[in-house]
């Protein structure tokens, strides 16, 4: 398993397989270099480690740039291409508002808590 600098991982047994819980290390995901590194780490979970069930926990995240949103959109497509599922949880109201304004709340499966996000996966 690779060493990750931008994310922390935990695994749970879900109803349909192993669920990978991803927590973000950075509170503000705005720096282009960090976003590129974060994207690479997230993509490798799906492409190299063959993780199909992902829950992204945003509890630590205070700010997310549009470039970071783009990485999440690409990740969602990669997960679906590998017949997987991805859920987001613990978004702060101001971050959820960005998802709502951009209609990304319709693309992503967003849950209130980590427990809700893990249920049924």
């Amino acid at each position: 398993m690779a060493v990750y600098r931008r994310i922390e991982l935990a695994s749970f047994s879900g109803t349909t397989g192993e669920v990978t819980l991803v927590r973000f290390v950075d509170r503000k995901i705005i720096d282009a270099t960090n976003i590129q590194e974060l994207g690479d780490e997230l993509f490798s979970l799906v492409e190299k480690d063959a993780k199909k069930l992902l829950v992204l926990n945003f509890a630590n995240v205070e700010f997310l740039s549009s470039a970071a949103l783009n990485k999440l959109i690409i990740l969602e497509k990669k997960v679906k291409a590998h017949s997987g599922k991805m859920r987001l949880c613990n978004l702060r109201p101001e971050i959820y508002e960005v998802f709502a304004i951009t209609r990304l709340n319709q693309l992503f499966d967003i849950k209130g808590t980590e427990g809700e996000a893990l249920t049924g996966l």
Side-chain angles (χ1 to χ4, degrees), residues 57-69:
N57 186 332
F58 285 82
N60 291 335
V61 179
E62 296 172 356
F63 187 82
L64 203 61
S65 75
S66 58
L69 288 175

Side-chain angles (χ1 to χ4, degrees), residues 1-12 18-25 41-42 44-45 49 51 54-56:
M1 178 103 97
V3 175
Y4 297 105
R5 292 171 20 131
R6 301 281 158 223
I7 56 177
E8 296 173 349
L9 303 177
S11 293
F12 296 90
E18 182 188 336
V19 179
T20 302
L21 176 65
V22 179
R23 291 188 179 110
F24 297 93
V25 173
E41 290 179 4
L42 291 170
S44 78
L45 285 176
D49 298 340
K51 304 293 184 189
L54 297 179
V55 172
L56 306 184

Side-chain angles (χ1 to χ4, degrees), residues 32-49:
T33 306
N34 291 354
I35 291 168
Q36 183 62 46
E37 192 175 346
L38 174 65
D40 292 344
E41 290 179 4
L42 291 170
F43 300 159
S44 78
L45 285 176
V46 177
E47 295 172 330
K48 292 187 180 113
D49 298 340

Side-chain angles (χ1 to χ4, degrees), residues 10-21 50-55 83-85 117-121:
S11 293
F12 296 90
S13 292
T15 52
T16 59
E18 182 188 336
V19 179
T20 302
L21 176 65
K51 304 293 184 189
K52 291 185 182 270
L53 302 173
L54 297 179
V55 172
S83 303
K85 287 185 183 176
L118 290 169
T119 301
L121 279 182

